[in-house]
Amino acid sequence: MADKQLDVLVICGSLRKGSYNAALARTLPALAPAGLKLRPAPAFDKFPIYNHDIQDTSGFPADVKAWADAIRSADGLIIVSPEYNWSIPGGLKNAIDWVSRMKDQPFKDKPVAIQSVAGGPLGGGRVQYQWRQIMVFLEALAFTRPEVFVGMAGQKFDEKTLEFKDEPGINFIKQQLAGFEKFIRKVSGK
Ligand SMILES: Cc1cc2nc3c(=O)[nH]c(=O)nc-3n(C[C@H](O)[C@H](O)[C@H](O)COP(=O)(O)O)c2cc1C
């Protein structure tokens, strides 16, 4: 392993307090290899709904710029997100729409790993390919395998503490994070 610890930003697609996706995101630092240092992304929930007129009249809002800067400064990203109506949650899509209009588009050439947690059995399996589609347009570098889908969330997180306690899931995630570190080093030379 190379010496430099890689800086990885974790973006959660759910805004609710008791979110399973947010709970999984909080678990990731404990499952990551020593070569990855994970940090949560700044909030995006107060961004206005994207409108080109706002961009034209007052420029990019300060919190949009801060979100983009955090992405730019990271060596890689992990998106941990629910599936909403077989698709991407609107709040996170709105945030991505904002930064996608920036000159120095922050997702360009950025390694990205994807995880999803859902209440149902498919674990967000239908949305993950939409994430990959979006990453193609943004010229991000989506990590392929192992994929991480956590289904039946109600049975895999502690009801009170929200601790993720599914052993097979934990092992999959460890494998994904180890693979993601190798992928970042391969594509970035870091
Ligand atoms: C607006 C909305 C749409 C949803 N659509 C889906 C869906 O398409 N597929 C799915 O598996 N679960 C769907 N769910 C259920 C979520 O998987 C479940 O609410 C999950 O706990 C959300 O993630 P969170 O706990 O991180 O907030 C939906 C939930 C909401 C609120």
Side-chain angles (χ1 to χ4, degrees):
M1 188 182 76
D3 289 332
K4 183 189 179 292
Q5 207 181 23
L6 299 170
D7 171 35
V8 172
L9 196 72
V10 180
I11 299 173
C12 178
S14 175
L15 303 175
R16 74 186 187 95
K17 236 188 309 167
S19 159
Y20 293 120
N21 283 275
L24 187 66
R26 288 194 296 274
T27 304
L28 297 182
L31 307 181
L36 296 187
K37 187 165 176 25
L38 272 48
R39 63 180 161 115
F44 57 81
D45 57 315
K46 303 287 192 304
F47 293 7
I49 293 176
Y50 179 79
N51 179 338
H52 201 296
D53 294 342
I54 303 175
Q55 194 185 322
D56 279 346
T57 52
S58 44
F60 291 96
D63 50 358
V64 172
K65 284 190 202 157
W67 201 67
D69 285 344
I71 292 171
R72 274 188 208 106
S73 68
D75 295 314
L77 311 173
I78 302 174
I79 295 175
V80 188
S81 179
E83 171 179 276
Y84 280 177
N85 301 305
W86 293 15
S87 187
I88 285 143
L92 183 49
K93 178 64 164 50
N94 181 54
I96 291 173
D97 290 344
W98 266 111
V99 302
S100 71
R101 308 319 293 168
M102 290 178 161
K103 236 187 184 148
D104 183 11
Q105 195 267 95
F107 282 87
K108 186 167 166 36
D109 299 328
K110 197 67 67 180
V112 181
I114 301 158
Q115 301 181 353
S116 52
V117 185
L122 297 186
R126 287 161 295 216
V127 72
Q128 288 214 3
Y129 304 102
Q130 294 186 29
W131 278 121
R132 292 179 187 280
Q133 204 176 331
I134 289 170
M135 293 308 143
V136 170
F137 184 74
L138 296 174
E139 298 179 90
L141 306 171
F143 177 68
T144 48
R145 283 200 299 266
E147 299 167 290
V148 170
F149 310 95
V150 179
M152 308 305 285
Q155 298 170 18
K156 296 187 179 158
F157 291 80
D158 185 90
E159 209 180 316
K160 289 203 178 88
T161 64
L162 285 179
E163 185 197 344
F164 184 56
K165 50 182 193 178
D166 179 58
E167 275 308 318
I170 286 171
N171 287 332
F172 251 105
I173 289 168
K174 282 184 179 166
Q175 284 175 40
Q176 191 203 44
L177 296 177
F180 190 46
E181 178 187 353
K182 285 193 189 135
F183 177 71
I184 297 175
R185 294 197 190 281
K186 186 168 81 177
V187 299
S188 68
K190 286 179 180 162

